[in-house]
Amino acid sequence: MALIDVIKYEGKPGEIVWKFPRNDISTFGQLVVNESQEAIFFKEGKALDIFGPGTHTLKTGNVPILENLVNLPFGGQTPFTAEIVYINKALIQLKWGTPAPIQVEDPKYTITLGVRANGAYNIKIVDSKAFAVGVVGARGAYSQDEVDNFLRPMIVTRLSDFLAEVVLKSGEPITRLNQHLEEASSAGKTKIQPDFSKYGIEVLDFFVQSINFDQNDPNFQKIQKILTDKFEIDALGGMYQQKRMLDIGEAAAKNESGNAGQGMSAGMGLGMGMNMGNMMAGMVGQNNAGGNSNQNDATARLTKLKSMLDQGLISQEEFDAKKKDILNSI
């Protein structure tokens, strides 16, 4: 078999790593390396010289490793055996996502929620030798999909860490993470870079594009209840306690059954509800018969508005402006 005189990349599109299929090479042969590529010589499993873009003549004068590889004269040329692996160093665009919900604890309310998230990231191989040895090994080719499968678990592993950091820094409940996607993206890049660096990879960009929660999760509903109650306290001020007493009285009045004791309790609850209703009416509308109705309508509108904010349907600025309009109308 003739010795190889010209070595060039013949990999498929999307391949990040491609190994030249033969290893019987001659000195004074040509090694062609394309732009955004590097070629690595391997001998007995060890990575030796690295060649950047250009055409390289393989001779001992400009390739120091050949002095150790070359052994015997062979028809005017000297044969040697070595493996040559091409590494593509262009920008690699990938996507990531959680295959199953990740458990993240809200540091404020110490409630754990299942979080789903997805996004995109851009990487570049900056250390070809570290990548070839640490990721590819003895494989003859390595595609972009295989790189994605290798890196994605690292992102998911770090997800709960950087999302919790964003929540802690913002001081807001975890259910409002969608309002902090930029901060989450920045924190995510910082968290995963050390893991990627071990394999010669640099994270150029990292994006968290969406964060989702199971609306039927009891823990999610607990946090929503806390936020709703807090909003009512802020909106109603001193009247919140009277409203809670009224709610309790109405609930007791509806708890009807055939048991006499419970019926008596229901009656007491009804009386309490009526008394609290009178208190509310006296406080809100002594001189305005329609005042109580306006107050109740405003409360309902504010509660709905708050729910829209929590679900990310409106921004904080839109919420503040609309809240001010509603309160001014009371």
Side-chain angles (χ1 to χ4, degrees), residues 50 57 62 104 113 133 169 171 174 186 192 200 203 245-246 253 256 266 321 329-330:
I50 298 178
T57 300
N62 62 5
V104 182
L113 289 181
V133 173
K169 184 177 179 180
I174 197 170
S186 178
I192 66 174
V203 182
M245 294 178 67
L246 177 60
E256 298 178 359
S329 68
I330 299 176

Side-chain angles (χ1 to χ4, degrees), residues 239 275-288 292:
M239 292 190 299
N275 289 337
M276 293 305 103
N278 293 334
M279 290 174 60
M280 289 283 288
M283 294 181 65
V284 178
Q286 291 181 347
N287 299 316
N288 186 352
N292 191 43

Side-chain angles (χ1 to χ4, degrees), residues 65-242:
I65 65 165
L66 292 184
E67 294 182 5
N68 297 323
L69 296 177
V70 172
N71 295 311
L72 299 172
F74 185 82
Q77 295 179 323
T78 306
F80 65 96
T81 59
E83 295 179 335
I84 298 178
V85 175
Y86 282 89
I87 306 290
N88 282 315
K89 301 185 69 177
L91 175 73
I92 304 173
Q93 297 177 307
L94 300 170
K95 294 184 180 296
W96 65 270
T98 52
I102 302 299
Q103 299 302 309
V104 182
E105 182 179 81
D106 188 305
K108 184 173 183 179
Y109 299 113
T110 62
I111 295 176
T112 300
L113 289 181
V115 180
R116 287 186 179 273
N118 61 73
Y121 63 112
N122 301 323
I123 61 171
K124 181 179 181 181
I125 299 170
V126 293
D127 187 337
S128 297
K129 186 180 292 188
F131 182 78
V133 173
V135 179
V136 183
R139 302 180 64 172
Y142 208 72
S143 69
Q144 181 166 310
D145 288 341
E146 290 172 304
V147 172
D148 181 29
N149 292 334
F150 178 76
L151 298 177
R152 189 180 301 182
M154 300 184 197
I155 297 175
V156 175
T157 298
R158 297 296 181 186
L159 180 64
S160 59
D161 292 338
F162 69 77
L163 291 184
E165 284 187 4
V166 173
V167 173
L168 189 62
K169 184 177 179 180
S170 68
E172 296 191 60
I174 197 170
T175 53
R176 293 184 179 176
L177 268 174
N178 267 313
Q179 300 178 28
H180 300 277
L181 294 182
E182 185 174 348
E183 295 95 321
S185 298
S186 178
K189 180 179 179 181
T190 301
K191 275 289 183 182
I192 66 174
Q193 182 59 74
D195 294 327
F196 284 29
S197 293
K198 292 185 295 185
Y199 302 100
I201 301 171
E202 179 183 356
V203 182
L204 303 177
D205 305 289
F206 184 83
F207 305 103
V208 179
Q209 297 173 326
S210 175
I211 300 174
N212 302 297
F213 305 93
D214 180 3
Q215 305 290 315
N216 296 320
D217 183 345
N219 285 345
F220 177 84
Q221 294 175 354
K222 285 180 183 178
I223 293 182
Q224 294 298 90
K225 177 72 165 55
I226 292 172
L227 295 177
T228 300
D229 289 347
K230 181 179 182 301
F231 175 73
E232 288 187 351
I233 292 173
D234 294 341
L236 297 178
M239 292 190 299
Y240 177 77
Q241 187 63 34
Q242 283 75 24

